[in-house]
C-alpha cells in the first residue's frame, strides 16, 4: 500500500488507521503555504515591470519544460480549485525544472500535497495518480529520461471518492471529562484533516488555559471506515501540572536591549501560566515595530521550582525608514506627504518620526496651499509594558474655505492598554494659533487636556470583516488670552459584519457625533469647531462643505455634528472589490445636531487589496445638493474609508 492511497484492495479490510497520514497532510499543507522563491524580475500588483522568465531560469541546469493537465471527473468546482492551488506542478508550470530527475522529484512531492488537499476536504478514499509522457510515475525507472518535443505532458488524475463524516469520537486520558462537541468533533460532522487537527489544538489550548503549559496529545487513533465513509477519532491527552512562569530568555536581539525585550513581555516569574498572556506578550513585542518576527515557546519541562521557562526568539527590523504618500480628489486637490523615522533611537524601541505634508494642490492658489510639519517621539514601557509615553511638536499653515490658520502646538501624554482591546490615553497640550475666519482675525493660546478611550475588537484593522471599534473623546480647553473655557466631546463607532463564511460580503457601518459645550461659536477657534463633507466623512460634497455658511457661502463650522455611513464591501476576486455606499451628515451651530438638515451622498468605490491595506477609489454624488455644492466627488487613497 502506497502512502498516497487511502483505499484497500479487493477483499481486504475496509478500515484503515490514518493518524500518520493526517499529520502528513498538515505538514504538506504547511510546506506548500510557506513555499516562497526569489525572483529576478520585478513585479508590483502582479504586473511585471522588468525582467523576464528567461532571467529567472538562467540558473537552472538542463532546463526542462512541462505542461500539466488535471483530470478530476468526480470533483466539484471547489475541490478542483483546492487541487489546483495545492499543486506546485501547476503553480510552477511556466518555470522549467532541472532535467528529468527534477521533474520526477517535483511530481512525487506534488502527489503528497495533493493527498493533503484531499484529506483537507475529507476525501479519505481519494487516489492521486501522476503520469509523465503517458507513464505512471511509480513505473518510471530512477534514471528515466524524457525526450521529444517540449513541454513534456504531465497528467494529474484525481479520483476524489466520497466525502467522509465523523463517526465514533473518544477523548481519553486527562481529556476524558471534556465534551468533544465543544471542539467541533461531532458524529456526522466535518471529518476533514483540518477539523481534526483544529480540535486537537483547541483541546490542548483548553487545558493550557487552566495553567498547564505541558498539556499535549499523547496518542491519536484515526481510522477511516470505507464501508460507511466515516472517520473514527480517538485522542489521548496528558494535561500536566499547573505551573507558573520561569525565567524568560531572549535570543536574536542586536540593537534592541535584551533586558528591555524581556521586560516588555510582561511575564513575571511565578505568576500562573496563561496562553492568552503568551499571545499578548508576542503581540506587544510586535507592536514595538522593531522586530520582523517574534516567537515565544514554552520549554519541554518545568524547572527545579516547578515553573515553565519561556524562550523568546526575535529578528530585528532596520531601525530607519522613510516614505512618501499622497491623496487625490477633484474637490480637495492633490496632497503629498513624506516622512522619516527611527524605530529604535536609544535601544529600547524609542520612536522618532519627522513628517511633512502639502495639500490643496490644484484646488487652491499657490499662495494658499496647506502645509503641516511635525516631530513626534514615543517611548514604550514607562510605567509597565502596557504603557507608552508620547510627545511632539506640530506646526500648521492651512487655508480651507472656512478659515486661514497658522498654529504651533506642543503636547505630551501617556497611553495605556487595559487589555488587547481597550486603550486609554491622556495628554496635556498647548496650542498657539492665529486664525482669520468669518468673525475676523484672532489669536489664541489654548491649554487643553485631551482624554480618549478606544475599544477595538476588529479581526483586521486594515480590512476588517467582523467586530467593531468604539471611540470616546473629551477635551477640556482654556484660552489663556481670552479666558474662554469649553469642552469638546466626540463619540464614534464602526461595526463590521460578514454576511457569508468566506468574508466576500461585508456590511460596514459608521456613526459619529460630537458637541462643544461651555462657549459660543465665536469663542471657539475655527480649527476646533466641527465640519463635515469630503473624502473622510460625507463623500460627494466638498471638504468642510456641509453645515452653516457665512454671507459669502463659506463654511463657518459648528458646535455639534452627526455623521453616518454604510457600505457593502463585495469581494469580486481575492484582490478586487467593489463598494457601494451611502454617507450622511449634518453640522449645527447649536450644541446638539439638527437632524432635519442632513446632507446625503451616495456612490460606489473600487478596492485593490494589497499587503499594506486596500487601495481606494470612490466616486460619489450629493443627493440633496445646495447651490455651490459640487455635482460629484472622486477620492483616492490607501485604506478603507473607515
Amino acid at each position: 500500500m502506497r502512502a498516497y492511497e487511502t483505499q484497500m484492495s479487493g477483499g481486504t479490510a475496509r478500515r484503515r488507521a490514518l493518524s500518520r497520514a493526517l499529520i502528513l497532510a498538515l505538514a504538506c499543507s504547511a510546506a506548500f503555504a510557506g513555499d516562497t522563491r526569489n525572483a529576478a524580475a520585478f513585479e508590483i500588483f502582479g504586473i511585471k515591470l522588468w525582467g523576464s522568465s528567461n532571467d529567472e531560469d538562467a540558473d537552472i541546469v538542463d532546463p526542462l519544460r512541462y505542461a500539466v493537465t488535471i483530470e478530476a471527473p468526480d470533483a466539484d468546482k471547489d475541490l478542483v480549485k483546492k487541487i489546483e492551488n495545492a499543486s506546485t506542478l501547476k503553480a510552477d508550470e511556466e518555470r522549467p525544472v532541472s532535467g528529468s530527475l527534477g521533474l520526477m522529484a517535483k511530481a512525487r512531492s506534488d502527489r503528497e500535497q495533493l493527498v493533503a488537499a484531499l484529506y483537507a476536504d475529507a476525501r479519505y478514499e481519494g487516489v492521486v495518480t501522476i503520469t509523465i509522457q503517458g507513464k505512471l510515475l511509480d513505473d518510471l525507472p530512477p534514471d528515466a529520461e524524457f525526450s521529444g518535443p517540449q513541454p513534456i505532458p504531465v497528467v494529474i488524475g484525481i479520483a476524489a471518492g466520497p466525502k467522509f463524516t465523523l463517526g465514533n469520537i473518544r477523548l481519553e486520558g486527562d481529556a476524558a471529562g471534556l465534551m468533544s462537541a465543544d471542539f467541533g468533533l461531532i458524529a456526522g460532522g466535518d471529518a476533514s484533516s483540518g477539523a481534526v487537527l483544529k480540535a486537537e489544538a483547541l483541546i490542548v489550548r483548553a487545558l493550557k488555559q487552566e495553567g498547564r503549559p505541558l498539556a499535549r496529545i499523547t496518542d491519536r487513533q484515526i481510522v477511516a471506515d470505507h464501508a460507511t465513509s466515516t472517520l473514527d477519532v480517538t485522542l489521548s491527552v496528558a494535561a500536566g501540572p499547573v505551573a507558573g512562569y520561569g525565567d524568560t530568555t531572549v535570543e536574536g536581539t542586536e540593537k534592541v536591549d535584551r533586558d528591555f525585550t524581556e521586560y516588555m513581555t510582561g511575564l513575571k516569574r511565578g505568576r500562573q501560566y496563561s496562553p492568552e498572556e503568551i499571545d499578548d506578550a508576542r503581540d506587544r513585542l510586535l507592536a514595538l515595530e522593531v522586530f520582523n518576527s517574534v516567537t515565544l515557546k514554552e520549554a519541554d519541562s518545568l524547572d527545579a521550582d516547578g515553573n515553565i521557562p519561556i524562550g523568546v526568539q526575535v529578528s530585528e527590523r532596520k531601525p530607519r525608514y522613510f516614505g512618501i504618500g499622497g491623496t487625490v480628489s477633484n474637490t480637495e486637490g492633490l496632497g503629498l506627504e513624506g516622512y522619516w523615522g527611527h524605530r529604535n533611537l536609544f535601544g529600547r524601541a524609542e520612536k522618532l518620526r519627522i513628517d511633512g505634508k502639502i495639500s490643496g494642490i490644484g484646488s487652491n492658489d499657490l499662495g494658499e496651499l496647506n502645509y503641516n510639519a511635525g516631530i513626534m517621539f514615543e517611548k514604550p514601557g514607562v510605567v509597565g509594558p502596557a504603557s507608552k509615553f508620547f510627545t511632539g511638536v506640530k506646526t500648521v499653515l492651512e487655508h480651507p474655505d472656512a478659515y486661514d490658520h497658522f498654529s504651533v502646538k506642543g503636547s505630551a501624554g501617556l497611553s495605556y492598554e487595559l487589555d488587547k482591546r481597550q486603550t486609554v490615553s491622556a495628554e496635556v497640550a498647548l496650542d498657539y494659533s492665529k486664525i482669520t475666519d468669518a468673525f475676523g482675525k484672532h489669536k489664541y493660546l489654548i491649554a487643553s487636556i485631551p482624554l480618549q478611550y478606544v475599544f477595538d475588537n476588529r479581526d483586521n484593522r486594515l480590512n476588517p470583516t467582523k467586530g467593531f471599534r468604539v471611540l470616546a473623546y473629551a477635551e477640556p480647553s482654556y484660552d489663556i488670552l481670552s479666558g474662554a473655557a469649553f469642552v469638546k466631546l466626540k463619540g464614534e463607532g464602526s461595526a463590521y459584519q460578514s454576511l457569508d463564511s468566506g468574508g466576500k460580503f461585508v456590511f460596514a457601518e459608521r456613526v459619529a457625533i460630537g458637541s462643544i459645550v461651555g462657549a459660543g461659536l465665536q469663542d471657539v477657534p475655527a480649527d476646533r469647531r466641527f465640519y463635515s463633507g469630503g473624502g473622510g466623512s460625507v463623500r460627494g460634497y466638498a471638504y468642510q462643505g456641509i453645515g452653516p455658511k457665512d454671507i459669502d457661502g463659506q463654511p463657518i463650522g459648528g458646535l455639534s455634528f452627526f455623521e453616518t455611513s454604510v457600505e457593502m464591501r463585495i469581494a469580486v476576486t481575492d484582490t478586487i472589490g467593489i463598494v457601494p455606499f451611502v454617507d450622511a451628515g449634518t453640522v449645527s451651530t447649536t450644541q446638539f445636531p439638527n437632524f432635519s438638515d442632513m446632507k446625503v451622498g451616495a456612490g460606489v468605490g473600487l478596492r485593490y487589496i494589497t499587503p499594506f491595506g486596500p487601495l481606494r477609489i470612490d466616486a460619489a454624488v450629493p443627493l440633496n445638493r445646495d447651490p455651490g455644492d459640487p455635482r460629484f466627488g472622486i477620492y483616492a487613497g490607501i485604506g478603507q474609508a473607515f
Side-chain angles (χ1 to χ4, degrees):
M1 175 58 61
R2 298 186 178 96
Y4 57 91
E5 295 179 351
T6 64
Q7 64 184 21
M8 303 297 288
S9 60
T12 57
R14 300 287 289 174
R15 291 170 60 84
R16 179 163 180 222
L18 294 174
S19 180
R20 284 189 63 195
L22 280 173
I23 302 306
L24 177 64
L26 177 66
C28 291
S29 298
F32 171 71
D35 184 34
T36 58
R37 296 173 177 83
N38 294 325
F42 182 82
E43 296 184 7
I44 185 169
F45 306 148
I47 302 172
K48 187 171 291 185
L49 299 182
W50 66 73
S52 68
S53 58
N54 291 333
D55 297 330
E56 299 174 38
D57 302 341
D59 59 341
I60 298 177
V61 178
D62 188 21
L64 181 69
R65 296 194 172 276
Y66 64 90
V68 177
T69 302
I70 296 177
E71 298 177 352
D74 61 340
D76 56 34
K77 290 182 179 180
D78 288 340
L79 181 56
V80 170
K81 185 67 174 177
K82 292 176 183 177
I83 290 168
E84 291 177 347
N85 290 339
S87 173
T88 54
L89 280 170
K90 188 66 177 177
D92 298 341
E93 192 172 13
E94 296 182 0
R95 180 174 171 84
V97 294
S98 182
S100 300
L101 183 61
L103 181 56
M104 287 193 293
K106 196 175 189 71
R108 291 190 180 96
S109 174
D110 209 50
R111 186 167 57 189
E112 303 295 344
Q113 292 173 178
L114 292 169
V115 170
L118 291 175
Y119 285 7
D121 201 55
R123 310 279 182 163
Y124 295 103
E125 201 168 291
V127 178
V128 177
T129 58
I130 298 179
T131 63
I132 303 176
Q133 282 190 329
K135 296 182 180 180
L136 284 171
L137 179 61
D138 291 313
D139 292 340
L140 292 168
D143 58 349
E145 293 288 338
F146 305 117
S147 58
Q150 298 185 25
I152 302 298
V154 177
V155 178
I156 299 174
I158 305 289
K163 198 164 188 174
F164 280 54
T165 58
L166 288 171
N168 296 321
I169 303 162
R170 294 178 60 190
L171 301 182
E172 298 180 343
D174 292 332
L178 301 178
M179 299 295 294
S180 63
D182 293 340
F183 308 99
L185 297 179
I186 305 172
D190 183 5
S192 66
S193 60
V196 175
L197 294 167
K198 180 181 178 182
E200 289 186 6
L202 290 174
I203 291 169
V204 171
R205 177 83 175 189
L207 293 172
K208 286 190 172 186
Q209 286 173 340
E210 298 177 359
R212 304 175 184 274
L214 299 181
R216 60 190 178 91
I217 303 292
T218 56
D219 185 42
R220 61 176 63 82
Q221 297 179 25
I222 300 183
V223 180
D225 187 334
H226 295 267
T228 59
S229 296
T230 57
L231 195 74
D232 296 337
V233 178
T234 301
L235 300 176
S236 296
V237 181
V242 174
Y245 298 113
D247 292 334
T248 300
T249 58
V250 178
E251 295 183 0
T253 54
E254 297 177 11
K255 297 181 179 180
V256 181
D257 184 85
R258 187 185 301 267
D259 292 339
F260 170 77
T261 304
E262 177 186 341
Y263 165 76
M264 287 301 293
T265 65
L267 304 177
K268 295 183 178 180
R269 182 178 177 84
R271 189 171 66 226
Q272 183 171 308
Y273 166 88
S274 165
E276 285 86 358
E277 285 192 347
I278 297 294
D279 293 342
D280 290 348
R282 179 172 50 250
D283 293 343
R284 191 179 303 116
L285 292 180
L286 286 171
L288 294 175
E289 299 181 2
V290 293
F291 300 122
N292 275 317
S293 64
V294 176
T295 303
L296 275 76
K297 185 177 181 180
E298 301 93 340
D300 295 331
S301 60
L302 304 183
D303 62 19
D305 297 324
N307 294 323
I308 187 74
I310 304 295
V312 180
Q313 180 69 46
V314 300
S315 65
E316 293 186 4
R317 302 174 68 181
K318 293 182 179 180
R320 295 175 180 82
Y321 64 93
F322 67 91
I324 58 174
T327 58
V328 63
S329 164
N330 71 316
T331 62
E332 300 167 29
L334 173 66
L336 299 174
E337 63 179 307
Y339 54 87
W340 175 92
H342 198 297
R343 298 185 176 95
N344 189 37
L345 195 61
F346 303 123
R348 295 196 165 198
E350 299 92 348
K351 296 185 184 68
L352 179 69
R353 177 178 168 122
I354 301 171
D355 55 32
K357 182 177 180 180
I358 303 174
S359 62
I361 301 171
S363 64
N364 294 6
D365 294 335
L366 288 178
E368 295 188 344
L369 297 181
N370 304 316
Y371 304 89
N372 69 61
I375 181 169
M376 179 273 295
F377 174 79
E378 291 183 359
K379 180 175 177 56
V382 290
V383 288
S387 66
K388 179 173 63 179
F389 169 80
F390 56 90
T391 185
V393 177
K394 184 176 182 179
T395 182
V396 174
L397 176 62
E398 59 182 351
H399 308 277
D401 291 342
Y403 53 84
D404 293 330
H405 171 224
F406 168 79
S407 75
V408 178
K409 179 180 180 180
S411 62
L414 188 72
S415 67
Y416 193 89
E417 288 187 359
L418 301 176
D419 54 38
K420 291 181 67 173
R421 299 177 177 181
Q422 301 180 85
T423 303
V424 294
S425 65
E427 61 182 297
V428 292
L430 188 64
D431 183 3
Y432 171 77
S433 60
K434 294 190 294 184
I435 296 176
T436 301
D437 64 0
F439 301 112
K441 296 181 179 181
H442 302 275
K443 293 182 180 180
Y444 303 92
L445 183 60
I446 304 290
S448 62
I449 306 176
L451 307 170
Q452 183 170 280
Y453 167 83
V454 177
F455 179 94
D456 190 347
N457 70 350
R458 295 173 295 174
D459 60 336
N460 185 316
R461 297 192 177 187
L462 294 176
N463 192 25
T465 61
K466 63 180 180 180
F468 61 93
R469 179 180 184 271
V470 175
L471 177 148
Y473 179 86
E475 184 180 5
S477 302
Y478 177 74
D479 184 358
I480 297 173
L481 299 182
S482 70
F486 56 92
V487 179
K488 186 173 185 178
L489 303 170
K490 182 180 177 182
E492 184 175 337
S494 55
Y496 311 85
Q497 178 62 51
S498 178
L499 304 183
D500 67 311
S501 59
K504 294 185 178 296
F505 296 87
V506 177
F507 180 76
E509 181 176 10
R510 180 184 75 96
V511 176
I513 190 170
S515 177
I516 299 174
V517 297
L521 188 66
Q522 297 186 41
D523 295 322
V524 178
D527 64 313
R528 293 173 180 261
R529 301 171 196 156
F530 292 115
Y531 301 86
S532 188
S537 57
V538 183
R539 287 161 285 188
Y541 293 84
Y543 175 63
Q544 299 184 341
I546 293 175
K549 296 178 173 61
D550 61 17
I551 58 174
D552 297 322
Q554 300 301 316
I556 61 173
L559 294 177
S560 62
F561 88 108
F562 175 82
E563 290 177 351
T564 185
S565 300
V566 292
E567 293 187 345
M568 177 58 71
R569 299 172 182 174
I570 304 169
V572 179
T573 69
D574 290 340
T575 56
I576 301 294
I578 58 173
V579 181
F581 59 84
V582 177
D583 301 332
T586 184
V587 176
S588 306
T589 56
T590 57
Q591 292 180 350
F592 195 77
N594 179 9
F595 293 98
S596 65
D597 192 26
M598 295 281 287
K599 294 298 181 182
V600 183
V604 65
L606 178 68
R607 304 290 185 267
Y608 187 93
I609 308 302
T610 72
F612 50 84
L615 301 180
R616 180 180 80 251
I617 299 178
D618 290 332
V621 296
L623 299 186
N624 52 341
R625 63 185 293 269
D626 290 330
D629 286 333
R631 296 188 177 277
F632 66 94
I634 299 176
Y635 315 89
I638 298 176
Q640 295 285 8
F642 59 90

